[in-house]
Amino acid sequence: MSFGDAVDLVIGASVLVVAIVALTVRRRDTAVVLFLVFGVLLATLWARLAAPDIALAEAALGAGVTGALLMDTITSSRPREAASSRPWPKRILGWAGGAVAGGAVLVALVAAVRSLSEPQGSLAQSVDEDMGRTGVEHGITAVLLNFRSYDTLLEVAVLAVAALATVSFIQRQSPAPPEPWPGGPPLAVRGLARILTPILLVVAVWLLVAGTTRPGGAFQSGAVIAAVLILLHLGGWTHAVPQGRWRGWGLMVGLIAFIGVGGAGAVVGAGWLVLDPDWAGTIILALEAVLAVAIGIGLATIFVANRTDVRPGGDDT
Amino acid sequence: MILDVVSAALIALGCVFFAAGTVGLLRFADLNTRLHALAKADNVGLGFVVAGLLAQADHPAIAAKLVLIWALALFAAATNGHLLARAETTEGDA
Amino acid sequence: MNTAELAMILGVTLAVVGSVGTLVIADLLRRVVALNIASGGVMVVLIALAYRVSPDEPDPVPQALVLTGIVIMVAVTGVALALVRRIEAHETAPGDDDREGET
């Protein structure tokens, strides 16, 4: 076993151990922090499995934005201890039943994994053959924005619907959203927002353009844009994330632009969402920019909506 | 060859600082002292790892990006430490 | 048993453990965490399938699926957390409900 294999084994084992511990601890905040560790370890596993794009996205979205969402939910409610409302015989029964059923499913799935035949790789071959017509040089970008751009359109729609659903669940006692910090943001946060915003915007644009030739692309760029918007909102510039009248428009702009490009292809070009090989590179870059902004605004809206939730006592910290 | 040895030595030194920071996180009794230990791991440990990787960089642009990563991690760690310590003191007073 | 197979077994284990956790855990926030862990396991399986084709040039199609899946999971987590807040707000203040006596 080479050193690389040993490192992979250690990373895989630690992913499993951290996941199991995260599921079995009693306190919520411990579970959330362990989930963050799980996300970072998963990102290193992606890097070892030759998926650097996924590693970037997991670190930014899985550990970053999801971590921010979970942390915000924990800090705005009392740290609930293990006070479970169900009587303990039922709990033991629940865990035992889950273990038995889960164990059976696990054995069946592992058997299925062991019996997989050799990979044909026909899809990878087709992607390789047609890469010249796509206008980009990176496989994942070609698949996401050209071969399967319909799936990406639906993903933008799902994100917009999720943001609208989150917003509609939140109650407020007054029309104006309450301030993120009761006494104004501390100097450290304001300073951080001022320093990081230009740097992160440059990084976002770089990730966007780099996605055509190497790991990067709209999703990672969108995650960085979401981070910038959340940071600006926390730093006191509450108009960074669209609220009020502009919120609906902010969420819809990505979806409308995407549909517009697809429709333009249907009217002028070869068909709905078909990209002409001459224009494909430019159109893909434009689509990615719109996509990144849409993902950024969508995720930031979800975070801000969760954060401006008013507790029943009318007190929001 | 020399560069590989230098990289390995620097990264190993960084790992020592990370290990020290983790031991501090687990064994120190107070939030402030734990933040102190973590700051060592983040700033110095990551700095040594980045320095070790700098020796492996082919292009100045890659080296610049590595240093930028270290600088951003420094900003984040400093702000987090400040906010955590601040939250504890205000909580203690209120 | 090569790396791809081990990774798939890891992914399957994570997915099963996370799914059992989602169904059995009582606390709502920990259920959301378990759901995220289960989705992480499924993603490991997909990436392992991409890795199996060729370690040097992995199949980009499953990787694109996972990338979309990560973004969707973040959005779903956001909606789930909004629901968790609403449910817990009602649980801690049953008297504020419109309908009296319903918890």
Side-chain angles (χ1 to χ4, degrees):
Chain A
M1 184 188 299
S2 70
F3 183 64
D5 287 342
V7 169
D8 290 343
L9 215 57
V10 167
I11 294 179
S14 36
V15 164
L16 189 58
V17 165
V18 171
I20 291 181
V21 176
L23 286 171
T24 49
V25 287
R26 302 305 219 86
R27 290 181 47 158
R28 300 168 105 180
D29 40 4
T30 318
V32 166
V33 170
L34 283 169
F35 172 69
L36 294 185
V37 174
F38 169 78
V40 171
L41 285 173
L42 208 57
T44 43
L45 187 64
W46 298 148
R48 286 298 301 165
L49 284 179
D53 304 66
I54 318 293
L56 286 173
E58 172 71 36
L61 290 169
V65 179
T66 312
L69 284 170
L70 288 169
M71 276 297 177
D72 194 49
T73 312
I74 288 213
T75 51
S76 62
S77 65
R78 271 161 293 270
R80 299 249 294 241
E81 286 296 333
S84 177
S85 50
R86 290 190 302 185
W88 69 262
K90 246 178 141 184
R91 271 188 15 229
I92 301 278
L93 198 61
W95 277 107
V100 165
V105 170
L106 185 59
V107 165
L109 285 174
V110 170
V113 161
R114 298 301 297 277
S115 66
L116 277 178
S117 53
E118 279 305 304
Q120 305 294 325
S122 52
L123 271 180
Q125 262 179 328
S126 327
V127 169
D128 249 341
E129 283 161 17
D130 291 331
M131 189 73 83
R133 297 193 299 127
T134 56
V136 293
E137 286 153 31
H138 189 49
I140 294 190
T141 310
V143 171
L144 276 174
L145 270 297
N146 197 332
F147 293 130
R148 297 302 315 172
S149 47
Y150 190 48
D151 299 339
T152 311
L153 168 65
L154 293 178
E155 182 249 334
V156 175
V158 168
L159 189 57
V161 168
L164 284 174
T166 312
V167 162
S168 67
F169 282 138
I170 301 302
Q171 292 175 351
R172 284 206 206 97
Q173 288 184 350
S174 65
E179 296 296 309
W181 304 87
L187 181 62
V189 177
R190 279 183 287 154
L192 190 72
R194 267 181 233 247
I195 295 177
L196 282 193
T197 301
I199 300 178
L200 288 183
L201 283 177
V202 170
V203 169
V205 172
W206 184 84
L207 278 172
L208 192 66
V209 177
T212 48
T213 51
R214 62 179 101 173
F219 291 78
Q220 294 86 345
S221 177
V224 174
I225 292 180
V228 167
L229 291 177
I230 292 176
L231 196 58
L232 283 174
H233 175 85
L234 290 176
W237 290 267
T238 44
H239 297 293
V241 179
Q243 313 253 359
R245 288 180 300 142
W246 295 103
R247 187 171 52 203
W249 285 110
L251 294 174
M252 287 296 141
V253 67
L255 192 55
I256 294 176
F258 216 114
I259 294 180
V261 169
V267 165
V268 177
W272 162 250
L273 279 180
V274 172
L275 298 180
D276 189 27
D278 301 323
W279 286 96
T282 321
I283 297 181
I284 284 183
L285 202 54
L287 267 184
E288 280 201 298
V290 168
L291 193 59
V293 171
I295 291 178
I297 294 181
L299 293 179
T301 308
I302 290 178
F303 177 83
V304 168
N306 268 319
R307 192 170 167 83
T308 56
D309 184 25
V310 175
R311 301 291 300 145
D315 167 44
D316 166 55
T317 43
Chain B
M1 191 59 225
I2 291 268
L3 278 181
D4 285 347
V5 171
V6 168
S7 277
L10 284 173
I11 292 179
L13 200 52
C15 289
V16 165
F17 274 97
F18 269 111
T22 310
V23 169
L25 174 66
L26 293 173
R27 299 285 297 173
F28 277 158
D30 191 25
L31 176 72
N32 290 330
T33 47
R34 284 176 184 165
L35 286 174
H36 172 80
L38 283 178
K40 300 302 152 281
D42 247 336
N43 304 355
V44 184
L46 190 62
F48 274 122
V49 169
V50 164
L53 290 176
L54 278 180
Q56 299 279 326
D58 311 318
H59 196 265
I62 299 180
K65 282 180 220 156
L66 283 171
V67 173
L68 180 66
I69 290 175
W70 182 56
L72 289 175
L74 281 180
F75 279 132
T79 311
N80 281 336
H82 171 76
L83 288 176
L84 282 169
R86 183 179 181 269
E88 191 183 19
T89 54
T90 54
E91 215 173 282
D93 293 341
Chain C
M1 198 181 309
N2 57 353
T3 313
E5 262 195 34
L6 279 175
M8 272 196 267
I9 293 181
L10 169 70
V12 163
T13 312
L14 280 176
V16 167
V17 168
S19 309
V20 167
T22 318
L23 295 171
V24 170
I25 292 179
D27 186 31
L28 291 172
L29 190 69
R30 286 173 54 204
R31 242 184 231 182
V32 173
V33 169
L35 191 65
N36 275 308
I37 291 179
S39 84
V42 171
M43 291 194 264
V44 171
V45 172
L46 281 171
I47 298 290
L49 284 174
Y51 186 74
R52 234 170 43 118
V53 169
S54 134
D56 304 314
E57 269 194 58
D59 187 354
V61 179
Q63 291 189 350
L65 293 177
V66 168
L67 202 44
T68 309
I70 293 182
V71 177
I72 301 286
M73 263 321 288
V74 179
V76 165
T77 303
V79 178
L81 287 176
L83 277 174
V84 166
R85 283 170 185 260
R86 281 274 70 72
I87 293 175
E88 290 183 348
H90 278 248
E91 272 173 4
T92 54
D96 292 346
D97 269 355
D98 301 328
R99 294 163 239 156
E100 203 68 38
E102 187 175 5
T103 40

PDB file of all heavy atoms in Angstrom, chain B residues 44-66:
ATOM      1  N   VAL B  44       0.498  30.646  12.461  1.00  0.00           N
ATOM      2  CA  VAL B  44       1.854  30.148  12.263  1.00  0.00           C
ATOM      3  C   VAL B  44       1.835  28.811  11.526  1.00  0.00           C
ATOM      4  O   VAL B  44       2.606  28.581  10.595  1.00  0.00           O
ATOM      5  CB  VAL B  44       2.563  30.013  13.619  1.00  0.00           C
ATOM      6  CG1 VAL B  44       3.986  29.591  13.419  1.00  0.00           C
ATOM      7  CG2 VAL B  44       2.498  31.325  14.353  1.00  0.00           C
ATOM      8  N   GLY B  45       0.930  27.917  11.960  1.00  0.00           N
ATOM      9  CA  GLY B  45       0.890  26.589  11.331  1.00  0.00           C
ATOM     10  C   GLY B  45       0.566  26.697   9.855  1.00  0.00           C
ATOM     11  O   GLY B  45       1.258  26.130   8.995  1.00  0.00           O
ATOM     12  N   LEU B  46      -0.497  27.430   9.531  1.00  0.00           N
ATOM     13  CA  LEU B  46      -0.858  27.599   8.125  1.00  0.00           C
ATOM     14  C   LEU B  46       0.240  28.327   7.377  1.00  0.00           C
ATOM     15  O   LEU B  46       0.521  28.044   6.213  1.00  0.00           O
ATOM     16  CB  LEU B  46      -2.184  28.356   8.021  1.00  0.00           C
ATOM     17  CG  LEU B  46      -2.786  28.389   6.634  1.00  0.00           C
ATOM     18  CD1 LEU B  46      -3.112  26.989   6.171  1.00  0.00           C
ATOM     19  CD2 LEU B  46      -4.040  29.240   6.628  1.00  0.00           C
ATOM     20  N   GLY B  47       0.889  29.296   8.050  1.00  0.00           N
ATOM     21  CA  GLY B  47       1.984  30.011   7.398  1.00  0.00           C
ATOM     22  C   GLY B  47       3.101  29.084   6.981  1.00  0.00           C
ATOM     23  O   GLY B  47       3.636  29.175   5.866  1.00  0.00           O
ATOM     24  N   PHE B  48       3.465  28.150   7.877  1.00  0.00           N
ATOM     25  CA  PHE B  48       4.529  27.213   7.520  1.00  0.00           C
ATOM     26  C   PHE B  48       4.100  26.279   6.406  1.00  0.00           C
ATOM     27  O   PHE B  48       4.890  25.958   5.503  1.00  0.00           O
ATOM     28  CB  PHE B  48       4.952  26.397   8.747  1.00  0.00           C
ATOM     29  CG  PHE B  48       5.997  27.092   9.575  1.00  0.00           C
ATOM     30  CD1 PHE B  48       5.776  27.383  10.904  1.00  0.00           C
ATOM     31  CD2 PHE B  48       7.204  27.452   9.006  1.00  0.00           C
ATOM     32  CE1 PHE B  48       6.740  28.025  11.662  1.00  0.00           C
ATOM     33  CE2 PHE B  48       8.171  28.091   9.756  1.00  0.00           C
ATOM     34  CZ  PHE B  48       7.944  28.387  11.079  1.00  0.00           C
ATOM     35  N   VAL B  49       2.841  25.822   6.445  1.00  0.00           N
ATOM     36  CA  VAL B  49       2.377  24.937   5.366  1.00  0.00           C
ATOM     37  C   VAL B  49       2.412  25.678   4.035  1.00  0.00           C
ATOM     38  O   VAL B  49       2.858  25.146   3.006  1.00  0.00           O
ATOM     39  CB  VAL B  49       0.955  24.424   5.693  1.00  0.00           C
ATOM     40  CG1 VAL B  49       0.345  23.738   4.507  1.00  0.00           C
ATOM     41  CG2 VAL B  49       1.006  23.476   6.868  1.00  0.00           C
ATOM     42  N   VAL B  50       1.939  26.928   4.044  1.00  0.00           N
ATOM     43  CA  VAL B  50       1.946  27.715   2.807  1.00  0.00           C
ATOM     44  C   VAL B  50       3.380  27.943   2.336  1.00  0.00           C
ATOM     45  O   VAL B  50       3.687  27.863   1.140  1.00  0.00           O
ATOM     46  CB  VAL B  50       1.200  29.045   3.027  1.00  0.00           C
ATOM     47  CG1 VAL B  50       1.525  30.034   1.934  1.00  0.00           C
ATOM     48  CG2 VAL B  50      -0.283  28.804   3.077  1.00  0.00           C
ATOM     49  N   ALA B  51       4.301  28.212   3.294  1.00  0.00           N
ATOM     50  CA  ALA B  51       5.705  28.407   2.909  1.00  0.00           C
ATOM     51  C   ALA B  51       6.265  27.149   2.260  1.00  0.00           C
ATOM     52  O   ALA B  51       6.991  27.209   1.259  1.00  0.00           O
ATOM     53  CB  ALA B  51       6.518  28.791   4.140  1.00  0.00           C
ATOM     54  N   GLY B  52       5.910  25.982   2.821  1.00  0.00           N
ATOM     55  CA  GLY B  52       6.359  24.733   2.220  1.00  0.00           C
ATOM     56  C   GLY B  52       5.810  24.554   0.828  1.00  0.00           C
ATOM     57  O   GLY B  52       6.504  24.087  -0.086  1.00  0.00           O
ATOM     58  N   LEU B  53       4.547  24.948   0.611  1.00  0.00           N
ATOM     59  CA  LEU B  53       3.959  24.815  -0.716  1.00  0.00           C
ATOM     60  C   LEU B  53       4.528  25.831  -1.688  1.00  0.00           C
ATOM     61  O   LEU B  53       4.573  25.597  -2.895  1.00  0.00           O
ATOM     62  CB  LEU B  53       2.441  24.975  -0.629  1.00  0.00           C
ATOM     63  CG  LEU B  53       1.727  23.830   0.062  1.00  0.00           C
ATOM     64  CD1 LEU B  53       0.252  24.111   0.186  1.00  0.00           C
ATOM     65  CD2 LEU B  53       1.926  22.549  -0.709  1.00  0.00           C
ATOM     66  N   LEU B  54       4.955  26.994  -1.154  1.00  0.00           N
ATOM     67  CA  LEU B  54       5.549  28.006  -2.028  1.00  0.00           C
ATOM     68  C   LEU B  54       6.777  27.456  -2.734  1.00  0.00           C
ATOM     69  O   LEU B  54       7.065  27.797  -3.879  1.00  0.00           O
ATOM     70  CB  LEU B  54       5.958  29.240  -1.213  1.00  0.00           C
ATOM     71  CG  LEU B  54       4.873  30.247  -0.881  1.00  0.00           C
ATOM     72  CD1 LEU B  54       5.440  31.394  -0.081  1.00  0.00           C
ATOM     73  CD2 LEU B  54       4.242  30.787  -2.142  1.00  0.00           C
ATOM     74  N   ALA B  55       7.518  26.589  -2.018  1.00  0.00           N
ATOM     75  CA  ALA B  55       8.716  26.018  -2.638  1.00  0.00           C
ATOM     76  C   ALA B  55       8.356  25.126  -3.815  1.00  0.00           C
ATOM     77  O   ALA B  55       9.195  24.868  -4.676  1.00  0.00           O
ATOM     78  CB  ALA B  55       9.507  25.217  -1.600  1.00  0.00           C
ATOM     79  N   GLN B  56       7.095  24.654  -3.871  1.00  0.00           N
ATOM     80  CA  GLN B  56       6.685  23.758  -4.942  1.00  0.00           C
ATOM     81  C   GLN B  56       6.003  24.487  -6.085  1.00  0.00           C
ATOM     82  O   GLN B  56       5.690  23.882  -7.090  1.00  0.00           O
ATOM     83  CB  GLN B  56       5.688  22.723  -4.391  1.00  0.00           C
ATOM     84  CG  GLN B  56       6.244  21.853  -3.311  1.00  0.00           C
ATOM     85  CD  GLN B  56       7.062  20.733  -3.895  1.00  0.00           C
ATOM     86  OE1 GLN B  56       6.752  20.239  -4.968  1.00  0.00           O
ATOM     87  NE2 GLN B  56       8.103  20.348  -3.210  1.00  0.00           N
ATOM     88  N   ALA B  57       5.765  25.793  -5.924  1.00  0.00           N
ATOM     89  CA  ALA B  57       4.980  26.493  -6.940  1.00  0.00           C
ATOM     90  C   ALA B  57       5.815  26.693  -8.197  1.00  0.00           C
ATOM     91  O   ALA B  57       6.984  27.064  -8.138  1.00  0.00           O
ATOM     92  CB  ALA B  57       4.526  27.839  -6.392  1.00  0.00           C
ATOM     93  N   ASP B  58       5.155  26.468  -9.364  1.00  0.00           N
ATOM     94  CA  ASP B  58       5.890  26.630 -10.628  1.00  0.00           C
ATOM     95  C   ASP B  58       5.917  28.073 -11.077  1.00  0.00           C
ATOM     96  O   ASP B  58       6.855  28.513 -11.700  1.00  0.00           O
ATOM     97  CB  ASP B  58       5.199  25.808 -11.732  1.00  0.00           C
ATOM     98  CG  ASP B  58       4.936  24.401 -11.269  1.00  0.00           C
ATOM     99  OD1 ASP B  58       5.818  23.832 -10.633  1.00  0.00           O
ATOM    100  OD2 ASP B  58       3.830  23.891 -11.539  1.00  0.00           O
ATOM    101  N   HIS B  59       4.863  28.791 -10.774  1.00  0.00           N
ATOM    102  CA  HIS B  59       4.615  30.078 -11.416  1.00  0.00           C
ATOM    103  C   HIS B  59       4.404  31.112 -10.317  1.00  0.00           C
ATOM    104  O   HIS B  59       3.835  30.789  -9.285  1.00  0.00           O
ATOM    105  CB  HIS B  59       3.338  29.930 -12.258  1.00  0.00           C
ATOM    106  CG  HIS B  59       3.156  31.018 -13.265  1.00  0.00           C
ATOM    107  ND1 HIS B  59       2.399  32.132 -13.029  1.00  0.00           N
ATOM    108  CD2 HIS B  59       3.642  31.153 -14.524  1.00  0.00           C
ATOM    109  CE1 HIS B  59       2.423  32.900 -14.089  1.00  0.00           C
ATOM    110  NE2 HIS B  59       3.161  32.345 -15.012  1.00  0.00           N
ATOM    111  N   PRO B  60       4.872  32.340 -10.498  1.00  0.00           N
ATOM    112  CA  PRO B  60       4.648  33.356  -9.463  1.00  0.00           C
ATOM    113  C   PRO B  60       3.179  33.570  -9.139  1.00  0.00           C
ATOM    114  O   PRO B  60       2.842  33.903  -7.999  1.00  0.00           O
ATOM    115  CB  PRO B  60       5.261  34.624 -10.072  1.00  0.00           C
ATOM    116  CG  PRO B  60       6.175  34.171 -11.110  1.00  0.00           C
ATOM    117  CD  PRO B  60       5.736  32.838 -11.587  1.00  0.00           C
ATOM    118  N   ALA B  61       2.299  33.367 -10.120  1.00  0.00           N
ATOM    119  CA  ALA B  61       0.875  33.576  -9.851  1.00  0.00           C
ATOM    120  C   ALA B  61       0.374  32.584  -8.812  1.00  0.00           C
ATOM    121  O   ALA B  61      -0.415  32.924  -7.930  1.00  0.00           O
ATOM    122  CB  ALA B  61       0.075  33.438 -11.145  1.00  0.00           C
ATOM    123  N   ILE B  62       0.867  31.341  -8.912  1.00  0.00           N
ATOM    124  CA  ILE B  62       0.435  30.338  -7.929  1.00  0.00           C
ATOM    125  C   ILE B  62       0.937  30.725  -6.549  1.00  0.00           C
ATOM    126  O   ILE B  62       0.221  30.610  -5.541  1.00  0.00           O
ATOM    127  CB  ILE B  62       0.938  28.945  -8.337  1.00  0.00           C
ATOM    128  CG1 ILE B  62       0.350  28.559  -9.688  1.00  0.00           C
ATOM    129  CG2 ILE B  62       0.598  27.922  -7.291  1.00  0.00           C
ATOM    130  CD1 ILE B  62       0.774  27.212 -10.169  1.00  0.00           C
ATOM    131  N   ALA B  63       2.187  31.201  -6.477  1.00  0.00           N
ATOM    132  CA  ALA B  63       2.726  31.625  -5.189  1.00  0.00           C
ATOM    133  C   ALA B  63       1.915  32.770  -4.615  1.00  0.00           C
ATOM    134  O   ALA B  63       1.611  32.797  -3.419  1.00  0.00           O
ATOM    135  CB  ALA B  63       4.191  32.044  -5.365  1.00  0.00           C
ATOM    136  N   ALA B  64       1.523  33.726  -5.469  1.00  0.00           N
ATOM    137  CA  ALA B  64       0.718  34.854  -4.997  1.00  0.00           C
ATOM    138  C   ALA B  64      -0.618  34.371  -4.461  1.00  0.00           C
ATOM    139  O   ALA B  64      -1.103  34.857  -3.431  1.00  0.00           O
ATOM    140  CB  ALA B  64       0.511  35.852  -6.131  1.00  0.00           C
ATOM    141  N   LYS B  65      -1.233  33.383  -5.155  1.00  0.00           N
ATOM    142  CA  LYS B  65      -2.525  32.889  -4.673  1.00  0.00           C
ATOM    143  C   LYS B  65      -2.377  32.199  -3.330  1.00  0.00           C
ATOM    144  O   LYS B  65      -3.235  32.321  -2.447  1.00  0.00           O
ATOM    145  CB  LYS B  65      -3.118  31.918  -5.694  1.00  0.00           C
ATOM    146  CG  LYS B  65      -3.744  32.613  -6.877  1.00  0.00           C
ATOM    147  CD  LYS B  65      -4.303  31.601  -7.835  1.00  0.00           C
ATOM    148  CE  LYS B  65      -4.031  32.030  -9.253  1.00  0.00           C
ATOM    149  NZ  LYS B  65      -4.008  30.921 -10.194  1.00  0.00           N
ATOM    150  N   LEU B  66      -1.282  31.444  -3.143  1.00  0.00           N
ATOM    151  CA  LEU B  66      -1.081  30.776  -1.852  1.00  0.00           C
ATOM    152  C   LEU B  66      -0.960  31.797  -0.728  1.00  0.00           C
ATOM    153  O   LEU B  66      -1.551  31.643   0.345  1.00  0.00           O
ATOM    154  CB  LEU B  66       0.180  29.914  -1.911  1.00  0.00           C
ATOM    155  CG  LEU B  66       0.040  28.590  -2.664  1.00  0.00           C
ATOM    156  CD1 LEU B  66       1.394  27.946  -2.839  1.00  0.00           C
ATOM    157  CD2 LEU B  66      -0.881  27.657  -1.913  1.00  0.00           C
TER     158      LEU B  66
END
